[in-house]
Amino acid sequence: MFSLRTLTASCALGLLWISSVNAAETFQINVAAQGEAKRALPLQVDVAVPKNFADVALVELTTDSGDKLYGQLTKPGLGNPSTDPLARELHLVLPSAMVGPEREFAVSIPESKEGLTEFHFKDEAGKHKDLMFGDRPVLRYMYEAVDSSSEDRRHETMKVYHHLFDPKGENLLTKGPGGLFQHHRGIFYGFNRISYEQDGKKKSADVWHCHKKESQTHEAFVREEAGPVMARQILEINWNGQDGKTFATELREMTVYHVDGAQVIDFASKLTAKADNLKVDGDPQHAGFQYRATQHVPDKTAKQTYYVRPDGKGEPGKFRNWPGNKEHIDLEFNALSFVAFDQRYTCCYLDSPENPKPARFSERDYGRFGSYFATEIPQDKPLELNYRLWLQPGEMDVADVKQLRDDFVDPPKVSVEAG
């Protein structure tokens, strides 16, 4: 997840600015009541840790009744301006069985982590890097350098994106190159109508199709952190124009929580202009933050696809697009229900109120959906975004998806006290 700048922003975006803990040996957190709905609940708490926690990643959280779960300390994520060397994010996931009344947890350093299953990264150098949970693949970052040896190879490597595996790690539930609309890939962020000024010239770019030799290129793995609760990958990505020159640089943060039976991904981005008068724009099908399901869907099951929106469940095979459907705008959430490899899945797309608006939404029965906006990006004010994807097997109704969205943007309040 992302970090916050003000208390107001933290409430709106689902994060919690916590007053610093004094330099004590231990500390505790108090989680407000979480309501009656039973669901796993990922939480992030910004905290200044005691000095003896400075080099600690794994912590143990214990209630008065002796219930235990693990938490994970990370460095602050994107958007957190803290310069405190003891600033950390504490990540935990309340399992559905613990969700309900107010909870108080004592935070301590565990004696051992023997037997714990953890996230870790597995790299096929120069090709892709997998995020694993134990021996189960979860997420795959496709980052191969642009190969211009042939048009086919350039199409395969012209932009970076993430693949998502099913919760069992058996099949990819996202699409790569080729298939129906080869430019639609996995979990992707970009725009097809970009304008800017560089070298005294007005220029345009399309990093969605990359028809005129535009590209998104991987530049660096900025930071990676992994443990039993979550994993985070921060990437540096250049957005390059038709002439190959970089007009914007992105820090893209993918935070993945371990939730039994589901895939939970927080996407955060900070896009910094490297050219003058940069404006990103597009159309509903080829811009913004989008998810594209596996090619299995258009090949075999598209007519079984339906969407769950704030106004109800849609009909199988039917879909909406702005501007044809003018009300298809500024949705708090949208959810794609699709069938792949003999299993139905629901992928929830949860928007933040802090992302630029209006957000224009798009859907297709073959499993591509998301939203885009148009905005200018001054060089001294990067564009910051935050979304959550929640994917799980089976069907979900409006109340289910709305609960997940509420958890994302307005989670239970958490306070921190010195031990």
Side-chain angles (χ1 to χ4, degrees):
M1 290 176 70
F2 44 95
S3 294
L4 41 101
R5 292 175 291 277
T6 66
L7 180 60
T8 300
S10 72
C11 293
L13 296 178
L15 295 179
L16 310 158
W17 182 253
I18 306 303
S19 58
S20 297
V21 176
N22 294 328
E25 292 300 309
T26 63
F27 63 100
Q28 65 183 35
I29 65 170
N30 302 292
V31 183
Q34 306 100 48
E36 296 181 359
K38 290 298 179 183
R39 76 284 181 193
L41 180 57
L43 289 173
Q44 175 191 310
V45 183
D46 290 347
V47 58
V49 297
K51 289 182 179 179
N52 60 310
F53 282 76
D55 297 319
V56 171
L58 182 67
V59 295
E60 190 172 67
L61 291 84
T62 308
T63 67
D64 289 341
S65 60
D67 294 325
K68 295 180 182 290
L69 55 84
Y70 287 103
Q72 198 172 323
L73 292 169
T74 68
K75 295 179 181 179
L78 288 188
N80 192 330
S82 177
T83 58
D84 184 345
L86 294 176
R88 298 291 185 272
E89 294 173 357
L90 171 61
H91 301 264
L92 63 146
V93 177
L94 286 182
S96 58
M98 291 185 69
V99 169
E102 179 179 356
R103 299 278 182 181
E104 182 176 292
F105 294 96
V107 182
S108 61
I109 301 172
E111 295 181 1
S112 170
K113 62 177 183 178
E114 184 178 355
L116 272 181
T117 302
E118 300 188 63
F119 285 105
H120 64 95
F121 291 96
K122 181 180 179 181
D123 191 22
E124 184 174 338
K127 298 289 186 180
H128 60 78
K129 180 174 280 194
D130 286 0
L131 174 64
M132 312 287 291
F133 187 74
D135 59 2
R136 173 174 64 86
V138 178
L139 198 67
R140 173 172 291 172
Y141 174 48
M142 306 298 294
Y143 72 96
E144 188 174 1
V146 177
D147 182 349
S148 299
S149 62
S150 69
E151 195 62 13
D152 285 345
R153 282 293 291 147
R154 191 185 73 81
H155 282 155
E156 289 176 8
T157 57
M158 63 189 183
K159 57 187 183 180
V160 298
Y161 61 97
H162 280 82
H163 271 308
L164 180 65
F165 288 84
D166 71 80
K168 294 182 179 179
E170 296 175 349
N171 296 294
L172 285 174
L173 295 183
T174 45
K175 173 190 166 295
L180 183 65
F181 304 123
Q182 66 87 19
H183 49 270
H184 289 162
R185 297 179 195 177
I187 299 169
F188 182 70
Y189 169 50
F191 297 84
N192 68 325
R193 296 174 184 167
I194 301 170
S195 61
Y196 57 98
E197 294 180 15
Q198 193 176 52
D199 301 328
K201 299 177 182 179
K202 292 184 178 181
K203 299 182 180 182
S204 62
D206 173 357
V207 297
W208 193 279
H209 300 89
C210 302
H211 286 325
K212 298 180 180 180
K213 297 188 177 181
E214 302 97 331
S215 63
Q216 282 187 355
T217 54
H218 170 78
E219 300 300 321
F221 294 99
V222 176
R223 192 169 86 221
E224 294 178 332
E225 296 168 287
V229 177
M230 51 78 72
R232 172 175 285 164
Q233 184 179 60
I234 300 180
L235 310 161
E236 181 180 335
I237 298 166
N238 279 350
W239 294 31
N240 309 304
Q242 298 173 22
D243 55 5
K245 292 186 177 181
T246 298
F247 62 83
T249 295
E250 180 192 0
L251 292 177
R252 186 176 301 184
E253 178 183 270
M254 308 292 283
T255 302
V256 181
Y257 287 93
H258 174 59
V259 174
D260 287 339
Q263 304 285 51
V264 183
I265 301 162
D266 285 349
F267 174 95
S269 173
K270 182 178 182 179
L271 186 65
T272 301
K274 300 299 182 182
D276 294 325
N277 299 320
L278 176 61
K279 182 177 180 179
V280 294
D281 200 345
D283 63 61
Q285 289 75 38
H286 307 102
F289 176 64
Q290 307 229 3
Y291 175 93
R292 171 63 197 268
T294 168
Q295 183 64 25
H296 185 100
V297 178
D299 286 348
K300 299 183 179 181
T301 64
K303 297 308 175 185
Q304 299 178 59
T305 296
Y306 67 83
Y307 287 86
V308 180
R309 314 176 187 97
D311 66 352
K313 174 182 174 180
E315 296 181 32
K318 304 287 186 178
F319 49 87
R320 297 177 184 172
N321 290 279
W322 181 90
N325 298 93
K326 295 189 184 301
E327 76 282 2
H328 207 49
I329 191 169
D330 290 343
L331 306 182
E332 293 183 348
F333 63 82
N334 198 4
L336 161 70
S337 185
F338 66 99
V339 176
F341 312 108
D342 299 318
Q343 172 67 56
R344 180 171 289 281
Y345 298 93
T346 300
C347 180
C348 305
Y349 179 108
L350 311 176
D351 196 4
S352 163
E354 297 299 307
N355 292 334
K357 302 293 184 289
R360 298 140 182 165
F361 279 73
S362 173
E363 305 167 352
R364 285 290 190 260
D365 60 356
Y366 55 76
R368 187 214 34 83
F369 79 127
S371 70
Y372 89 102
F373 50 83
T375 192
E376 296 178 354
I377 310 175
Q379 291 197 40
D380 61 351
K381 189 178 180 181
L383 171 62
E384 298 187 51
L385 302 175
N386 304 275
Y387 297 89
R388 174 173 287 177
L389 296 177
W390 181 296
L391 182 145
Q392 67 182 51
E395 297 186 273
M396 301 177 71
D397 60 24
V398 172
D400 294 331
V401 185
K402 185 179 185 307
Q403 180 66 70
L404 296 181
R405 200 268 180 173
D406 290 346
D407 290 344
F408 175 49
V409 304
D410 189 21
K413 301 300 182 285
V414 179
S415 60
V416 178
E417 298 177 7

